[in-house]
Amino acid sequence: MFRNVMPYDYTVGIDRSDIDFMGHVNNASYLKWVQAAIISHWERLAPAEALKKHAWVALRHEITYRKPAFLEDDVIATVILEKVHGAKAFYGIIIKRGEEVLAEVKSSWCCLDVATKRPKRLSSAIIERFLGRPAN
């Protein structure tokens, strides 16, 4: 029996530079948070050898903004790796303040071989480490 994919919580730090002319977090900062959360997820779960050999580049982000965030807010970005297909990884991210959903994000990334800078498939063992089940 396979275990369920575990969500990964990333604590977001809101900086004064994130605040726009309307007094809340600028939309572009959400993208910065998503990128930081996904890279943190990779660095936390990947084996040391994989960290040396693989790098990630973003392919696409789709963000649905629900509510504004403010400087003093405690914000968490919850990352869920939904699937891996070839060299691509597909994530869902929920950005929340307490129980309030501030944004929902779909994000896709491409794994690169650090040496060649070309797309690189992850091994089944690495995928299983993240997904909790063998790769499809």
Side-chain angles (χ1 to χ4, degrees):
M1 178 188 246
F2 304 120
R3 59 190 188 278
N4 292 325
V5 175
M6 293 299 298
Y8 174 74
D9 288 338
Y10 175 81
T11 301
V12 172
I14 301 175
D15 194 66
R16 286 205 183 281
S17 64
D18 292 319
I19 305 303
D20 65 16
F21 72 97
M22 295 184 357
H24 57 68
V25 173
N26 184 281
N27 292 358
S29 292
Y30 287 77
L31 178 58
K32 177 179 69 172
W33 299 344
V34 166
Q35 291 184 170
I38 288 173
I39 295 301
S40 177
H41 178 246
W42 167 251
E43 290 172 348
R44 170 67 77 90
L45 294 178
E49 193 61 29
L51 292 173
K52 293 177 193 171
K53 294 182 178 181
H54 301 86
W56 291 92
V57 293
L59 298 173
R60 178 180 170 90
H61 305 289
E62 182 180 322
I63 303 175
T64 302
Y65 300 97
R66 301 287 180 201
K67 294 184 177 189
F70 302 95
L71 184 61
E72 301 301 323
D73 287 347
D74 293 322
V75 176
I76 301 290
T78 301
V79 176
I80 296 178
L81 177 59
E82 295 175 344
K83 73 176 184 173
V84 176
H85 182 74
K88 293 181 183 177
F90 301 87
Y91 291 88
I93 302 95
I94 304 282
I95 299 173
K96 294 171 84 173
R97 171 183 52 231
E99 293 302 312
E100 291 182 287
V101 174
L102 304 177
E104 298 166 297
V105 184
K106 294 292 184 187
S107 187
S108 59
W109 292 68
C110 182
C111 182
L112 299 180
D113 180 290
V114 169
T116 66
K117 309 291 190 279
R118 297 189 45 85
K120 171 98 172 145
R121 291 176 182 257
L122 294 172
S123 71
S124 294
I126 293 173
I127 295 170
E128 185 173 346
R129 190 175 188 133
F130 281 84
L131 292 176
R133 62 184 184 275
N136 293 339

